[in-house]
Amino acid sequence: MANENLKEAKAAKNDEFYTQFHDIEVEMNAYLEYDPDVFKGKTVLLPCDDPEWSNFTKYFAAKFEELGLKKLISTSYAQESKNYKTNWQPTLFETENPRFSADKTAVCGKIFTLTHNINNNGKIDINDLEWEYLEGNGDFRSEEVTRLRDEADIIITNPPFSLFREFLAWIIEADKRFIIIGNMNCITYKEVFPLIMYNKVWLGVPFPGGNAYFRPAIQSEYAVGVYNEDTNLVKFRNCIWLTNIDHGRRHQPLSLMTMEDNLRFSKHKEIRGKISYEHYDNYDAIEVPFTDAIPSDYEGVMGVPISFLDKYCPEQFEILGITDRQNTSCLRTKRYTVYDSLKYNDLNARSVIRRDGKYIPMYARLLIRKL
Protein backbone atom coordinates (compact mmCIF):
# COMPACT_ATOMS: atom_id res chain seq x y z
CA MET A 1 0.00 0.00 0.00
CA ALA A 2 2.85 2.40 0.76
CA ASN A 3 4.28 1.90 -2.71
CA GLU A 4 0.85 2.54 -4.21
CA ASN A 5 0.67 5.85 -2.35
CA LEU A 6 4.10 6.76 -3.71
CA LYS A 7 2.88 6.04 -7.25
CA GLU A 8 -0.24 8.11 -6.64
CA ALA A 9 1.86 10.97 -5.32
CA LYS A 10 3.95 10.89 -8.48
CA ALA A 11 0.90 10.73 -10.75
CA ALA A 12 -0.78 13.66 -8.99
CA LYS A 13 2.54 15.46 -8.56
CA ASN A 14 1.66 15.94 -4.88
CA ASP A 15 5.14 14.70 -4.25
CA GLU A 16 6.64 17.06 -1.71
CA PHE A 17 7.58 15.33 1.53
CA TYR A 18 9.88 16.53 4.30
CA THR A 19 12.68 14.31 5.58
CA GLN A 20 13.16 13.76 9.31
CA PHE A 21 16.15 15.37 11.01
CA HIS A 22 17.20 12.04 12.56
CA ASP A 23 17.30 10.28 9.17
CA ILE A 24 19.46 13.05 7.73
CA GLU A 25 21.83 12.91 10.69
CA VAL A 26 22.21 9.11 10.51
CA GLU A 27 22.95 9.24 6.80
CA MET A 28 25.49 12.06 7.02
CA ASN A 29 27.23 10.31 9.91
CA ALA A 30 27.96 7.35 7.63
CA TYR A 31 30.03 9.58 5.32
CA LEU A 32 31.67 11.38 8.21
CA GLU A 33 32.71 8.10 9.85
CA TYR A 34 34.41 7.08 6.62
CA ASP A 35 35.94 10.51 5.95
CA PRO A 36 35.69 13.11 8.75
CA ASP A 37 36.68 15.85 6.28
CA VAL A 38 34.11 14.97 3.61
CA PHE A 39 32.33 18.34 4.02
CA LYS A 40 35.33 20.42 5.10
CA GLY A 41 35.81 23.55 2.99
CA LYS A 42 32.88 22.58 0.77
CA THR A 43 29.94 24.52 -0.58
CA VAL A 44 26.75 22.49 -0.05
CA LEU A 45 23.63 23.19 -2.12
CA LEU A 46 20.20 22.10 -0.90
CA PRO A 47 17.81 22.69 -3.82
CA CYS A 48 14.08 21.83 -3.80
CA ASP A 49 14.28 22.48 -0.10
CA ASP A 50 11.75 24.98 1.38
CA PRO A 51 14.40 26.23 3.83
CA GLU A 52 11.87 27.57 6.34
CA TRP A 53 10.58 24.03 6.91
CA SER A 54 13.35 21.74 5.75
CA ASN A 55 15.38 19.61 8.14
CA PHE A 56 18.19 19.54 5.58
CA THR A 57 18.70 23.26 6.07
CA LYS A 58 18.34 22.93 9.85
CA TYR A 59 20.89 20.10 9.99
CA PHE A 60 23.61 21.74 7.91
CA ALA A 61 23.10 25.14 9.54
CA ALA A 62 23.36 23.59 13.02
CA LYS A 63 26.47 21.61 12.00
CA PHE A 64 28.09 24.34 9.88
CA GLU A 65 31.16 24.86 12.06
CA GLU A 66 31.45 21.22 13.14
CA LEU A 67 31.49 20.06 9.50
CA GLY A 68 33.85 22.84 8.47
CA LEU A 69 31.60 24.03 5.67
CA LYS A 70 32.67 26.91 3.46
CA LYS A 71 29.15 27.88 2.40
CA LEU A 72 25.59 26.59 2.67
CA ILE A 73 23.04 27.44 -0.03
CA SER A 74 19.39 26.42 0.21
CA THR A 75 16.67 27.23 -2.32
CA SER A 76 12.90 26.89 -2.41
CA TYR A 77 10.28 26.66 -5.14
CA ALA A 78 7.66 29.41 -5.42
CA GLN A 79 4.31 28.47 -3.91
CA GLU A 80 2.26 29.47 -6.95
CA SER A 81 4.43 27.32 -9.22
CA LYS A 82 3.78 24.11 -7.30
CA ASN A 83 1.44 21.51 -8.75
CA TYR A 84 -0.80 21.49 -5.71
CA LYS A 85 -2.72 24.40 -4.23
CA THR A 86 -3.30 25.11 -0.55
CA ASN A 87 -4.54 27.94 1.62
CA TRP A 88 -0.96 29.06 1.89
CA GLN A 89 0.16 32.16 3.74
CA PRO A 90 3.73 33.51 4.07
CA THR A 91 5.33 32.84 7.42
CA LEU A 92 6.03 35.47 10.08
CA PHE A 93 9.72 34.82 9.42
CA GLU A 94 9.19 36.29 5.96
CA THR A 95 6.54 38.95 6.57
CA GLU A 96 8.37 40.52 9.51
CA ASN A 97 11.61 40.80 7.55
CA PRO A 98 12.45 44.09 5.76
CA ARG A 99 13.03 42.07 2.57
CA PHE A 100 9.39 40.94 2.45
CA SER A 101 7.60 41.69 -0.80
CA ALA A 102 3.89 41.01 -1.22
CA ASP A 103 4.40 40.94 -4.98
CA LYS A 104 7.20 38.37 -4.90
CA THR A 105 6.27 36.06 -2.05
CA ALA A 106 4.05 33.68 -4.03
CA VAL A 107 5.77 33.76 -7.41
CA CYS A 108 9.47 33.85 -6.57
CA GLY A 109 11.58 31.20 -4.94
CA LYS A 110 13.91 32.05 -2.10
CA ILE A 111 17.61 31.53 -1.55
CA PHE A 112 19.11 31.13 1.92
CA THR A 113 22.87 31.38 2.39
CA LEU A 114 25.12 30.81 5.37
CA THR A 115 28.79 31.76 5.36
CA HIS A 116 29.69 33.63 8.54
CA ASN A 117 28.57 34.86 11.94
CA ILE A 118 26.36 37.93 11.46
CA ASN A 119 24.79 38.33 14.92
CA ASN A 120 28.09 38.43 16.82
CA ASN A 121 27.22 35.58 19.19
CA GLY A 122 30.53 33.85 18.52
CA LYS A 123 29.25 30.94 16.42
CA ILE A 124 27.86 30.28 12.96
CA ASP A 125 24.44 28.64 13.10
CA ILE A 126 20.89 28.81 11.77
CA ASN A 127 20.42 32.32 13.18
CA ASP A 128 23.03 33.56 10.71
CA LEU A 129 21.11 32.47 7.61
CA GLU A 130 20.58 35.31 5.16
CA TRP A 131 17.85 35.17 2.55
CA GLU A 132 16.47 36.99 -0.44
CA TYR A 133 14.04 36.32 -3.25
CA LEU A 134 15.25 34.60 -6.37
CA GLU A 135 14.52 36.28 -9.67
CA GLY A 136 12.57 33.22 -10.84
CA ASN A 137 10.41 30.56 -9.23
CA GLY A 138 13.32 28.46 -7.93
CA ASP A 139 12.96 25.56 -10.37
CA PHE A 140 16.23 23.62 -10.29
CA ARG A 141 16.29 23.62 -14.11
CA SER A 142 16.39 27.42 -14.29
CA GLU A 143 19.61 29.20 -15.24
CA GLU A 144 19.58 30.88 -11.84
CA VAL A 145 19.61 27.66 -9.80
CA THR A 146 21.86 25.93 -12.32
CA ARG A 147 24.49 28.59 -11.62
CA LEU A 148 24.22 27.69 -7.94
CA ARG A 149 24.66 24.03 -8.88
CA ASP A 150 27.85 24.89 -10.73
CA GLU A 151 29.15 26.79 -7.71
CA ALA A 152 28.47 23.94 -5.28
CA ASP A 153 30.72 21.02 -4.40
CA ILE A 154 27.99 18.73 -3.01
CA ILE A 155 24.23 18.63 -3.70
CA ILE A 156 21.95 17.12 -1.06
CA THR A 157 18.14 16.94 -1.02
CA ASN A 158 14.94 14.91 -1.26
CA PRO A 159 13.85 15.84 -4.81
CA PRO A 160 10.24 15.67 -6.02
CA PHE A 161 9.37 12.07 -6.89
CA SER A 162 7.93 13.07 -10.25
CA LEU A 163 11.18 14.78 -11.32
CA PHE A 164 13.72 12.27 -10.01
CA ARG A 165 15.16 11.23 -13.40
CA GLU A 166 15.50 14.81 -14.57
CA PHE A 167 16.98 15.94 -11.26
CA LEU A 168 19.63 13.21 -11.24
CA ALA A 169 20.55 13.97 -14.85
CA TRP A 170 20.90 17.65 -13.87
CA ILE A 171 23.44 16.66 -11.21
CA ILE A 172 25.33 14.15 -13.36
CA GLU A 173 25.59 16.70 -16.17
CA ALA A 174 27.64 18.93 -13.88
CA ASP A 175 29.72 16.04 -12.47
CA LYS A 176 28.83 16.95 -8.89
CA ARG A 177 28.99 14.89 -5.73
CA PHE A 178 25.55 14.27 -4.28
CA ILE A 179 23.37 12.55 -1.69
CA ILE A 180 19.68 12.33 -2.65
CA ILE A 181 16.59 10.29 -1.79
CA GLY A 182 14.71 8.17 -4.33
CA ASN A 183 12.65 5.03 -4.68
CA MET A 184 14.37 1.63 -4.93
CA ASN A 185 12.74 1.12 -8.34
CA CYS A 186 14.85 3.96 -9.75
CA ILE A 187 17.69 1.42 -9.94
CA THR A 188 16.00 -0.12 -12.98
CA TYR A 189 15.75 3.21 -14.86
CA LYS A 190 17.83 3.32 -18.01
CA GLU A 191 19.25 6.65 -16.82
CA VAL A 192 20.34 5.18 -13.47
CA PHE A 193 21.33 1.54 -13.84
CA PRO A 194 24.46 2.08 -15.97
CA LEU A 195 25.74 4.46 -13.27
CA ILE A 196 25.17 1.71 -10.69
CA MET A 197 26.77 -1.01 -12.81
CA TYR A 198 29.95 0.98 -13.45
CA ASN A 199 30.26 2.06 -9.80
CA LYS A 200 29.71 5.73 -10.53
CA VAL A 201 26.69 5.81 -8.20
CA TRP A 202 25.70 3.57 -5.29
CA LEU A 203 23.30 3.33 -2.39
CA GLY A 204 23.77 5.13 0.88
CA VAL A 205 22.87 3.67 4.25
CA PRO A 206 19.41 2.00 4.25
CA PHE A 207 16.50 3.50 6.14
CA PRO A 208 15.90 1.48 9.35
CA GLY A 209 13.89 -1.64 8.58
CA GLY A 210 13.46 -0.52 5.00
CA ASN A 211 10.86 2.04 6.07
CA ALA A 212 11.17 5.77 5.48
CA TYR A 213 8.87 8.22 7.29
CA PHE A 214 8.24 11.64 5.76
CA ARG A 215 6.08 14.58 6.73
CA PRO A 216 3.70 15.47 3.88
CA ALA A 217 3.54 19.02 2.62
CA ILE A 218 -0.23 18.64 2.20
CA GLN A 219 -2.76 16.23 3.64
CA SER A 220 -3.98 13.41 1.39
CA GLU A 221 -5.85 10.16 1.72
CA TYR A 222 -3.59 7.25 2.72
CA ALA A 223 -4.19 3.58 3.30
CA VAL A 224 -4.62 2.27 6.83
CA GLY A 225 -1.24 1.99 8.53
CA VAL A 226 0.52 4.37 6.14
CA TYR A 227 -0.28 7.73 7.74
CA ASN A 228 0.11 8.33 11.48
CA GLU A 229 -2.05 11.20 12.68
CA ASP A 230 -0.16 11.47 15.97
CA THR A 231 3.23 11.99 14.32
CA ASN A 232 1.99 13.48 11.01
CA LEU A 233 4.30 11.06 9.17
CA VAL A 234 3.71 8.97 6.06
CA LYS A 235 5.45 5.60 5.75
CA PHE A 236 7.03 4.57 2.46
CA ARG A 237 8.66 1.25 1.70
CA ASN A 238 11.72 0.89 -0.53
CA CYS A 239 13.05 4.44 -0.30
CA ILE A 240 16.81 4.73 -0.68
CA TRP A 241 19.64 7.22 -0.42
CA LEU A 242 21.52 7.43 -3.72
CA THR A 243 25.03 8.89 -3.76
CA ASN A 244 28.48 9.01 -5.29
CA ILE A 245 30.19 9.81 -1.98
CA ASP A 246 31.96 6.90 -0.34
CA HIS A 247 30.98 5.38 2.99
CA GLY A 248 32.31 2.41 4.91
CA ARG A 249 29.24 0.18 4.73
CA ARG A 250 29.66 -0.48 1.00
CA HIS A 251 33.07 -2.03 1.61
CA GLN A 252 31.84 -4.61 4.14
CA PRO A 253 31.75 -8.05 2.43
CA LEU A 254 28.74 -10.29 2.90
CA SER A 255 29.17 -13.38 5.05
CA LEU A 256 27.70 -16.23 3.00
CA MET A 257 27.21 -19.99 3.07
CA THR A 258 28.30 -22.40 0.35
CA MET A 259 25.75 -23.62 -2.17
CA GLU A 260 25.63 -27.04 -0.49
CA ASP A 261 24.98 -25.49 2.91
CA ASN A 262 22.30 -23.19 1.52
CA LEU A 263 20.48 -26.13 -0.04
CA ARG A 264 20.62 -27.98 3.26
CA PHE A 265 20.21 -25.28 5.89
CA SER A 266 18.79 -22.09 4.34
CA LYS A 267 16.05 -20.42 6.34
CA HIS A 268 14.17 -19.88 3.08
CA LYS A 269 11.83 -22.69 2.05
CA GLU A 270 12.35 -21.69 -1.59
CA ILE A 271 15.98 -22.82 -1.25
CA ARG A 272 16.13 -25.40 1.54
CA GLY A 273 15.74 -29.02 0.45
CA LYS A 274 16.19 -28.46 -3.27
CA ILE A 275 18.71 -30.36 -5.34
CA SER A 276 20.06 -27.21 -6.99
CA TYR A 277 19.36 -23.55 -7.69
CA GLU A 278 17.04 -22.93 -10.63
CA HIS A 279 18.53 -21.71 -13.91
CA TYR A 280 16.81 -19.08 -16.01
CA ASP A 281 15.26 -20.13 -19.28
CA ASN A 282 16.32 -16.93 -21.04
CA TYR A 283 19.52 -15.87 -19.24
CA ASP A 284 22.75 -17.73 -18.58
CA ALA A 285 22.41 -17.35 -14.81
CA ILE A 286 20.91 -19.01 -11.75
CA GLU A 287 18.04 -17.54 -9.73
CA VAL A 288 18.96 -16.44 -6.20
CA PRO A 289 15.75 -14.98 -4.72
CA PHE A 290 17.34 -13.76 -1.46
CA THR A 291 20.56 -11.86 -0.87
CA ASP A 292 21.53 -14.02 2.10
CA ALA A 293 21.12 -17.12 -0.10
CA ILE A 294 23.93 -16.13 -2.49
CA PRO A 295 26.29 -19.15 -2.55
CA SER A 296 29.82 -18.21 -1.58
CA ASP A 297 31.41 -20.83 -3.84
CA TYR A 298 29.48 -20.33 -7.08
CA GLU A 299 31.64 -18.90 -9.87
CA GLY A 300 28.94 -18.31 -12.48
CA VAL A 301 26.41 -15.53 -13.02
CA MET A 302 23.58 -15.09 -10.50
CA GLY A 303 20.33 -13.15 -10.63
CA VAL A 304 19.62 -11.44 -7.30
CA PRO A 305 16.94 -8.99 -6.06
CA ILE A 306 17.66 -5.30 -6.60
CA SER A 307 17.61 -4.95 -2.80
CA PHE A 308 21.00 -6.70 -2.96
CA LEU A 309 22.46 -3.23 -3.53
CA ASP A 310 21.88 -2.47 0.16
CA LYS A 311 24.62 -5.05 0.87
CA TYR A 312 26.70 -4.72 -2.30
CA CYS A 313 30.46 -4.69 -1.78
CA PRO A 314 32.34 -3.83 -5.02
CA GLU A 315 35.40 -5.71 -3.83
CA GLN A 316 33.32 -8.90 -3.47
CA PHE A 317 30.98 -8.84 -6.48
CA GLU A 318 30.81 -7.49 -10.02
CA ILE A 319 27.52 -6.24 -11.46
CA LEU A 320 27.12 -7.46 -15.05
CA GLY A 321 23.60 -6.38 -16.00
CA ILE A 322 19.94 -6.42 -15.08
CA THR A 323 16.99 -8.45 -16.30
CA ASP A 324 14.86 -5.49 -17.24
CA ARG A 325 13.50 -4.34 -20.59
CA GLN A 326 14.98 -0.85 -20.21
CA ASN A 327 18.49 -2.25 -19.83
CA THR A 328 19.26 -5.00 -22.29
CA SER A 329 21.94 -7.51 -21.34
CA CYS A 330 24.32 -9.55 -23.44
CA LEU A 331 23.60 -12.41 -21.04
CA ARG A 332 20.12 -12.89 -22.49
CA THR A 333 20.06 -16.18 -24.40
CA LYS A 334 16.47 -16.35 -25.66
CA ARG A 335 13.57 -14.23 -26.81
CA TYR A 336 9.98 -15.42 -26.64
CA THR A 337 7.28 -15.31 -29.27
CA VAL A 338 4.46 -12.80 -29.11
CA TYR A 339 2.09 -15.67 -28.38
CA ASP A 340 4.08 -16.88 -25.36
CA SER A 341 4.47 -13.35 -24.06
CA LEU A 342 0.76 -12.64 -24.30
CA LYS A 343 -0.03 -15.93 -22.61
CA TYR A 344 2.44 -15.47 -19.76
CA ASN A 345 2.49 -11.67 -19.33
CA ASP A 346 5.35 -10.30 -21.49
CA LEU A 347 8.12 -12.83 -20.92
CA ASN A 348 10.72 -10.69 -22.67
CA ALA A 349 10.49 -7.98 -20.01
CA ARG A 350 12.27 -9.97 -17.29
CA SER A 351 14.12 -13.19 -16.52
CA VAL A 352 12.02 -16.36 -16.73
CA ILE A 353 12.01 -19.66 -14.86
CA ARG A 354 10.56 -22.69 -16.62
CA ARG A 355 8.93 -24.92 -14.02
CA ASP A 356 6.68 -27.94 -14.64
CA GLY A 357 6.30 -26.93 -18.27
CA LYS A 358 5.16 -23.38 -17.40
CA TYR A 359 6.97 -20.09 -17.87
CA ILE A 360 7.22 -17.98 -14.71
CA PRO A 361 8.32 -14.32 -15.15
CA MET A 362 10.47 -13.06 -12.28
CA TYR A 363 10.89 -9.61 -10.79
CA ALA A 364 13.78 -7.50 -12.07
CA ARG A 365 17.06 -9.13 -11.06
CA LEU A 366 20.59 -7.81 -10.92
CA LEU A 367 23.07 -10.08 -12.69
CA ILE A 368 26.19 -10.44 -10.57
CA ARG A 369 29.32 -12.56 -10.33
CA LYS A 370 31.66 -13.19 -7.43
CA LEU A 371 35.14 -11.68 -7.80
Side-chain angles (χ1 to χ4, degrees), residues 204-218:
V205 175
F207 286 93
N211 295 320
Y213 296 86
F214 301 108
R215 182 168 62 83
I218 60 171

Side-chain angles (χ1 to χ4, degrees), residues 231-280:
T231 61
N232 190 27
L233 295 175
V234 179
K235 179 174 74 175
F236 288 124
R237 294 280 297 168
N238 298 327
C239 278
I240 59 171
W241 292 91
L242 201 67
T243 185
N244 58 0
I245 300 177
D246 219 343
H247 59 87
R249 187 185 179 107
R250 68 185 295 257
H251 299 291
Q252 297 174 1
L254 277 167
S255 179
L256 301 167
M257 295 192 295
T258 64
M259 180 175 284
E260 180 181 357
D261 283 347
N262 268 293
L263 293 170
R264 291 179 62 190
F265 307 118
S266 175
K267 66 181 181 181
H268 304 290
K269 64 181 185 299
E270 294 87 346
I271 301 293
R272 188 180 61 253
K274 288 194 171 185
I275 297 174
S276 63
Y277 283 66
E278 293 181 288
H279 198 282
Y280 295 130

Side-chain angles (χ1 to χ4, degrees), residues 121-320:
N121 67 350
K123 63 179 180 179
I124 304 173
D125 59 21
I126 197 165
N127 297 309
D128 298 303
L129 280 170
E130 300 178 272
W131 73 273
E132 60 184 335
Y133 294 106
L134 292 166
E135 294 178 6
N137 63 8
D139 191 311
F140 68 88
R141 296 161 292 192
S142 68
E143 290 186 12
E144 190 175 21
V145 179
T146 296
R147 287 195 298 270
L148 297 174
R149 175 203 68 179
D150 295 342
E151 176 187 349
D153 299 296
I154 303 174
I155 298 170
I156 303 174
T157 194
N158 181 0
F161 297 135
S162 60
L163 296 174
F164 181 86
R165 296 175 196 245
E166 197 167 355
F167 185 79
L168 179 60
W170 180 76
I171 296 174
I172 297 297
E173 174 188 59
D175 193 25
K176 296 295 180 178
R177 302 175 82 191
F178 66 90
I179 306 168
I180 62 175
I181 294 175
N183 183 268
M184 178 68 82
N185 290 331
C186 78
I187 291 164
T188 66
Y189 297 170
K190 63 182 180 181
E191 301 90 347
V192 177
F193 178 72
L195 300 172
I196 297 280
M197 185 168 71
Y198 294 113
N199 274 308
K200 295 182 178 180
V201 171
W202 44 86
L203 270 60
V205 175
F207 286 93
N211 295 320
Y213 296 86
F214 301 108
R215 182 168 62 83
I218 60 171
Q219 296 301 318
S220 300
E221 293 295 324
Y222 295 99
V224 176
V226 174
Y227 176 69
N228 186 319
E229 291 185 359
D230 294 331
T231 61
N232 190 27
L233 295 175
V234 179
K235 179 174 74 175
F236 288 124
R237 294 280 297 168
N238 298 327
C239 278
I240 59 171
W241 292 91
L242 201 67
T243 185
N244 58 0
I245 300 177
D246 219 343
H247 59 87
R249 187 185 179 107
R250 68 185 295 257
H251 299 291
Q252 297 174 1
L254 277 167
S255 179
L256 301 167
M257 295 192 295
T258 64
M259 180 175 284
E260 180 181 357
D261 283 347
N262 268 293
L263 293 170
R264 291 179 62 190
F265 307 118
S266 175
K267 66 181 181 181
H268 304 290
K269 64 181 185 299
E270 294 87 346
I271 301 293
R272 188 180 61 253
K274 288 194 171 185
I275 297 174
S276 63
Y277 283 66
E278 293 181 288
H279 198 282
Y280 295 130
D281 186 61
N282 59 337
Y283 282 88
D284 187 14
I286 62 170
E287 160 73 353
V288 183
F290 307 98
T291 296
D292 60 5
I294 295 173
S296 63
D297 57 346
Y298 186 71
E299 301 295 331
V301 180
M302 299 169 277
V304 297
I306 60 175
S307 57
F308 159 81
L309 288 176
D310 276 339
K311 305 290 181 63
Y312 169 52
C313 170
E315 290 81 24
Q316 187 179 21
F317 293 102
E318 177 185 12
I319 299 175
L320 303 173

